[in-house]
Amino acid sequence: MDHTQENEILVATQTYSVERPIYSYPALHGKLHKKDKVPDPIGDKIKRALSCTPKKIRNIIYMFLPICKWLPAYKPREYVFGDFVSGISTGVLHLPQGLAFAMLAAVPPIFGLYSSFYPVILYCFFGTSRHVSIGPFAVISLMIGGVAVRLVPDDMYVGGGGANSTNGTEERDAMRVKVAMSVTLLSGIIQFCLGVLRFGFVAIYLTEPLVRGFTTAAAVHVFTSMLKYLFGVKTKRHSGPFSVVYSTLAVIANVKKLNICSLVVGLMCFALLLGGKEFNERFKNKLPAPIPLEIVAVIIGTGISAGFNLEESYKVDVVGSLPLGLLAPATPDSSLFHLVYVDAIAIAIVGFSVTISMAKIFAVKHGYQVDGNQELIALGICNTIGSLFQTFSISCSLSRSLVQESTGGNTQLAGCLASLLILLVILAIGFLFESLPQTIWLTTFVSSLFLGLDYGLITAVIIALMTVIYRTQSPTYTVLGQLPNTDVYIDIDAYEEVREHAGIKIFQINAPIYYANSDLYSNALSRKTGVNPALIMAARRKVLKKHAKELGTKGKPQSSVVKVDEDAEAGGEEDAKQEEQIEENAKPMTIDSLVQKTFPEELERFLPPGPNVHTMILDFSQVNFIDSVGVKTVSGILKEYGDVGIYVYLAACSAQVVNDLTRNRFFENPCVKELLFHSIHDAVLGAKVREALAQQEALAPPPEEDSEPITDPET
């Protein structure tokens, strides 16, 4: 019988016997004694809060100025090239998007360039994400444009034709800029105050399905609002409910007046972008960086428009004047606050939700953390200070962020470089793009249509909040220990008699695990138990790197003396590898295959002191359901702790929870089912038996290999 099968049978046949009275709640607590917890005097609390130490000052600086933490740790040899390529790639995308999103915001195009410069520089100092691209964003621009058009409609200033019409357009645009600046300032103040008051937790209510639904519907708004520029027709801009329907019907009603030249230019750019997107996707492994097709379309469109004088000859609308230089700071009109405060709240929430969603995705992918509260503060500073320099509200752009990350960006220095390219356009070469046809704008939003944008934020947030209120309560996280000589496990911090088992941590949550608390659950697990797999892995990598460096130094002289004939041994090594692979595949899968034990034991002594834990037990006795996000979180916990050699057991799961796990493919690997135990005590004994067997195997002598008799070929 296979040795592994013997161990499994041995574990399955282990029994235990416990004699104890039947504890009711009063009887049990009558045998327990509460720990005396003397609260600290208020004076000590105030003194501790107001104390000023170098460490505390440093932490405060790191909290509010994250650049002070990551910039000194910048690795030029590793990061400079990636940041340079990423900055250039993102910068060339900023130009067409800045001009296009200004049109969505109902302000002159130059203000889109201002919004692509000032906020990016500010976010570099105050933001915690290293990969998001801050600047104009389609949804935010569309929301600002809705406010501007509602308060300053076309018929208020523009009427008739001739010089009066031109003056009216200028007055209308100037008033809309005032409205946009006021909304931006107020939304920035709201974001900053929410960040200072630590309201970053609201990000948990902005779930992935909610954000995707929101972004998808807004893409339709963006697309329909740009149809009039594609067809070259003059229609009134609509805002409010059913604006999508009204905008589409207005274009259809004026389709007989379409400008053929404008349509041809737009379709040419559309084909260029779609074809280029397919080219970039097909040859992404061979290209050092994606070809910036947006700037190619801008250059070609501008050249054709200027060369053939499309504005005068074919009445094609162009960008128009792009004045060189930066405007002097100006204070937004606060008298408009009472008219725009509702919109400012919505813009503040939407801007933060999109930014924190993308920031969390990149943070998980690249192994660092982002702070929701600091992101609110950073966005608030960008919008508040930016509004003084005539920028409109900004957020994280999905398409630019993907470009910044995929082209090798490592820090926000890539964003700074992108903003410097925009500064070059503002100060020196902006006039070159004055002949750019407005149908170019449609091409910028094609990618946004596929990425998704708006689904009715207010309704979705209300539904999400109602769901949270109805289905959950504030979770309490507890580390459990055993009441000696019983199978009762209770809060170790509450009672003196409770004891922990060596090498075993038992963690309990008294709430369901789903999208609203899954991140909190994972963080609380490492915080309450004191076992952080990320820190353990980082310490091990540091030791392995140092050890490998020492071995490399010692091995250099020998490498010049000892030489192995690789050609002679290549065939034998290949056969041996194939045999090992066949044997490995033939082995039955066990729970040991879920845990990595690759760290050399002889190097353990070089690790910093920490908790010697071999098993984490997650008590699910009070978990009444778990959704797909929660299942992904638990799967991630199994992998993270398994990667550092720690087993994770699930105890006391209800039938409903097991069904939820099965439905979400938690048991796709059959070995995972062996991690579930009927009770906490079963899990504790299972862990102890497993460790005892492992020690026996470690102490047992290696099996003797069967030796075949040597025969003489001559006999």
Side-chain angles (χ1 to χ4, degrees):
M1 183 181 293
D2 186 83
H3 185 62
T4 303
Q5 294 178 347
E6 291 179 355
N7 292 342
E8 292 177 353
I9 294 175
L10 181 61
V11 172
T13 56
Q14 294 297 307
T15 61
Y16 73 95
S17 177
V18 176
E19 291 185 3
R20 63 172 175 84
I22 299 176
Y23 284 128
S24 65
Y25 186 84
L28 176 60
H29 285 263
K31 292 181 174 290
L32 300 174
H33 300 86
K34 282 279 189 179
K35 288 183 177 179
D36 293 331
K37 295 184 177 180
V38 180
D40 295 336
I42 297 179
D44 292 346
K45 292 182 179 180
I46 296 175
K47 182 179 179 181
R48 187 164 54 248
L50 298 179
S51 63
C52 185
T53 63
K55 182 178 180 181
K56 191 172 183 179
I57 294 175
R58 183 173 65 251
N59 291 337
I60 293 175
I61 293 175
Y62 286 167
M63 181 186 299
F64 290 99
L65 280 173
I67 191 174
C68 297
K69 186 174 183 179
W70 62 259
L71 188 58
Y74 191 83
K75 302 175 182 178
R77 293 185 179 181
E78 298 181 22
Y79 295 166
V80 164
F81 180 75
D83 283 342
F84 178 79
V85 174
S86 176
I88 297 297
S89 303
T90 309
V92 297
L93 190 57
H94 259 295
L95 174 60
Q97 287 195 351
L99 298 174
F101 295 157
M103 183 167 292
L104 282 181
V107 297
I110 188 62
F111 293 93
L113 298 184
Y114 298 154
S115 302
S116 298
F117 171 63
Y118 291 107
V120 180
I121 297 293
L122 292 170
Y123 186 84
C124 181
F125 288 88
F126 298 99
T128 59
S129 176
R130 306 173 191 172
H131 295 91
V132 298
S133 176
I134 294 298
F137 179 47
V139 179
I140 303 298
S141 300
L142 195 64
M143 296 173 74
I144 293 174
V147 182
V149 172
R150 186 183 74 239
L151 297 181
V152 189
D154 291 334
D155 52 14
M156 179 180 292
Y157 289 95
V158 181
N164 291 333
S165 177
T166 302
N167 294 335
T169 301
E170 293 177 354
E171 293 177 3
R172 179 204 64 187
D173 290 345
M175 190 59 194
R176 286 180 175 177
V177 169
K178 284 187 177 182
V179 173
M181 300 307 106
S182 298
V183 175
T184 301
L185 175 60
L186 188 55
S187 64
I189 293 174
I190 293 171
Q191 288 173 329
F192 184 83
C193 292
L194 290 176
V196 172
L197 296 175
R198 322 312 286 170
F199 267 75
F201 69 89
V202 298
I204 64 177
Y205 300 110
L206 302 168
T207 65
E208 181 181 357
L210 186 150
V211 174
R212 289 194 177 191
F214 175 82
T215 53
T216 302
V220 179
H221 281 267
V222 173
F223 185 79
T224 56
S225 67
M226 304 312 294
L227 284 177
K228 65 178 182 179
Y229 300 110
L230 175 64
F231 291 102
V233 297
K234 306 290 186 181
T235 62
K236 180 181 178 181
R237 180 163 178 165
H238 298 275
S239 61
F242 304 105
S243 59
V244 172
V245 178
Y246 296 146
S247 298
T248 305
L249 292 177
V251 172
I252 295 175
N254 291 274
V255 71
K256 294 182 180 180
K257 302 178 182 179
L258 68 85
N259 189 312
I260 298 297
C261 184
S262 179
L263 179 62
V264 170
V265 173
L267 293 178
M268 287 175 56
C269 295
F270 185 80
L272 173 65
L273 284 184
L274 287 184
K277 179 183 177 183
E278 181 65 24
F279 181 85
N280 280 337
E281 185 66 24
R282 180 170 298 183
F283 297 99
K284 63 181 179 181
N285 295 328
K286 298 181 180 180
L287 295 172
I291 298 176
L293 297 164
E294 291 80 4
I295 196 65
V296 173
V298 169
I299 294 174
I300 293 176
T302 304
I304 293 176
S305 176
F308 291 93
N309 196 14
L310 298 184
E311 182 182 14
E312 297 293 336
S313 302
Y314 300 96
K315 307 301 180 184
V316 174
D317 292 333
V318 297
V319 170
S321 175
L322 288 177
L324 297 180
L326 299 171
L327 297 180
T331 304
D333 189 356
S334 59
S335 64
L336 299 174
F337 283 179
H338 70 286
L339 299 175
V340 300
Y341 70 92
V342 175
D343 304 278
I345 294 174
I347 289 171
I349 295 175
V350 172
F352 169 66
S353 66
V354 174
T355 301
I356 196 64
S357 299
M358 287 298 293
K360 288 169 64 176
I361 291 173
F362 291 135
V364 171
K365 181 177 180 180
H366 294 277
Y368 63 92
Q369 293 183 337
V370 292
D371 184 353
N373 295 315
Q374 183 59 28
E375 287 299 300
L376 273 170
I377 292 174
L379 292 175
I381 292 175
C382 291
N383 284 324
T384 302
I385 298 180
S387 66
L388 304 178
F389 294 90
Q390 288 79 47
T391 71
F392 52 82
S393 289
I394 52 84
S395 180
C396 159
S397 167
L398 307 184
S399 56
R400 288 199 311 271
S401 297
L402 293 174
V403 170
Q404 182 166 321
E405 188 268 344
S406 63
T407 52
N410 297 291
T411 67
Q412 279 299 330
L413 289 183
C416 286
L417 179 58
S419 66
L420 292 179
L421 290 180
I422 298 301
L423 181 62
L424 175 64
V425 174
I426 294 174
L427 297 180
I429 61 175
F431 66 92
L432 296 177
F433 301 98
E434 292 181 355
S435 300
L436 180 63
Q438 291 185 354
T439 56
I440 294 294
W441 303 134
L442 180 70
T443 61
T444 306
F445 307 108
V446 173
S447 59
S448 300
L449 183 61
F450 294 104
L451 291 172
L453 293 177
D454 167 340
Y455 187 60
L457 179 69
I458 302 300
T459 303
V461 170
I462 291 175
I463 292 175
L465 289 174
M466 291 176 62
T467 302
V468 171
I469 295 172
Y470 178 74
R471 298 177 68 185
T472 192
Q473 56 185 342
S474 300
T476 298
Y477 305 104
T478 309
V479 176
L480 305 181
Q482 184 187 26
L483 189 64
N485 301 320
T486 72
D487 61 348
V488 176
Y489 292 82
I490 50 182
D491 187 0
I492 193 172
D493 293 328
Y495 303 103
E496 296 177 353
E497 291 83 357
V498 180
R499 297 290 181 268
E500 281 189 289
H501 291 277
I504 299 176
K505 291 287 185 180
I506 306 170
F507 185 73
Q508 182 189 72
I509 180 178
N510 70 338
I513 303 175
Y514 68 118
Y515 68 84
N517 64 7
S518 58
D519 285 345
L520 301 176
Y521 179 78
S522 179
N523 295 334
L525 175 62
S526 59
R527 185 182 70 253
K528 294 283 289 186
T529 61
V531 182
N532 191 323
L535 297 181
I536 296 175
M537 183 63 73
R540 290 183 176 182
R541 287 175 178 169
K542 186 175 181 180
V543 171
L544 287 173
K545 185 176 180 180
K546 183 177 180 181
H547 182 64
K549 187 176 181 180
E550 292 176 356
L551 290 180
T553 304
K554 294 178 180 179
K556 286 182 179 179
Q558 298 178 3
S559 62
S560 61
V561 178
V562 181
K563 187 175 181 180
V564 179
D565 189 351
E566 296 179 356
D567 295 336
E569 296 184 357
E573 292 179 357
E574 188 66 21
D575 294 340
K577 290 181 179 179
Q578 293 180 359
E579 292 178 2
E580 292 177 0
Q581 185 65 34
I582 294 174
E583 293 177 0
E584 186 70 23
N585 294 335
K587 292 181 180 178
M589 296 185 68
T590 66
I591 60 174
D592 291 337
S593 62
L594 303 173
V595 178
Q596 303 292 331
K597 296 183 177 179
T598 57
F599 192 76
E601 294 182 359
E602 63 270 21
L603 298 180
E604 290 282 350
R605 66 181 187 275
F606 296 104
L607 291 174
N612 186 15
V613 175
H614 55 71
T615 305
M616 304 285 290
I617 299 176
L618 307 182
D619 176 21
F620 276 28
S621 60
Q622 300 186 32
V623 177
N624 56 5
F625 77 90
I626 180 170
D627 71 350
S628 60
V629 179
V631 172
K632 289 181 180 179
T633 299
V634 176
S635 299
I637 290 172
L638 262 63
K639 184 180 184 306
E640 291 173 4
Y641 284 85
D643 287 345
V644 294
I646 298 177
Y647 291 82
V648 179
Y649 289 169
L650 275 61
C653 295
S654 66
Q656 177 62 47
V657 170
V658 174
N659 290 337
D660 292 339
L661 294 172
T662 304
R663 186 173 61 253
N664 289 285
R665 304 176 67 181
F666 181 74
F667 303 115
E668 191 172 17
N669 185 342
C671 299
V672 177
K673 286 191 176 181
E674 299 180 27
L675 301 177
L676 267 66
F677 287 84
H678 180 69
S679 68
I680 298 176
H681 201 58
D682 290 323
V684 170
L685 294 181
K688 288 189 171 183
V689 170
R690 188 200 70 239
E691 289 300 304
L693 292 175
Q695 292 180 5
Q696 291 179 8
E697 291 180 2
L699 297 175
E704 296 182 1
E705 298 181 0
D706 296 336
S707 59
E708 298 180 0
I710 301 175
T711 58
D712 189 349
E714 296 181 358
T715 61

